[in-house]
Amino acid sequence: MKKGIHPDYHTIKVVMTDGTSFETRSTYAEAGATLSLDIDPLSHPAWTGGPAKLADRGRVSKFQQKFGAFGLKKS
C-alpha cells in the first residue's frame, strides 16, 4: 500500500435507534466521535419484515413546519 493516501482508521461509538451503543473501528470523523443511526437492523423493514419505524429526531417536524402547506390551497 502507498503511504499517506489512506484515511485514519480509529475507534468510534455507534448509537442504535433503541439507544444501545457499541464501539467499532472506522474512518468516520475523528477518533472518539459518535455516529447516531436513524435506520438500523432494529428498524429497517429489510430485517424486520414490516414497515420502517423512523425515529423522529426533529427533522420531519421541522420539514413539515417549513414546507407542510406548500402548494396546498385551503377551500
Side-chain angles (χ1 to χ4, degrees):
M1 292 193 323
K2 290 184 180 179
K3 296 197 183 294
I5 65 168
H6 298 284
D8 182 34
Y9 192 61
H10 48 268
T11 303
I12 65 166
K13 180 179 177 182
V14 179
V15 180
M16 307 286 270
T17 57
D18 68 346
T20 59
S21 64
F22 63 93
E23 287 192 357
T24 188
R25 293 182 45 96
S26 175
T27 58
Y28 173 78
E30 301 169 352
T34 300
L35 175 63
S36 296
L37 301 178
D38 290 331
I39 299 286
D40 64 10
L42 302 173
S43 62
H44 195 281
W47 286 284
T48 62
K53 299 175 227 157
L54 290 174
D56 182 9
R57 298 184 185 227
R59 296 178 186 160
V60 174
S61 58
K62 185 176 179 181
F63 177 84
Q64 299 236 348
Q65 286 175 351
K66 192 170 184 179
F67 300 107
F70 184 71
L72 299 177
K73 293 183 180 179
K74 292 185 179 180
S75 48

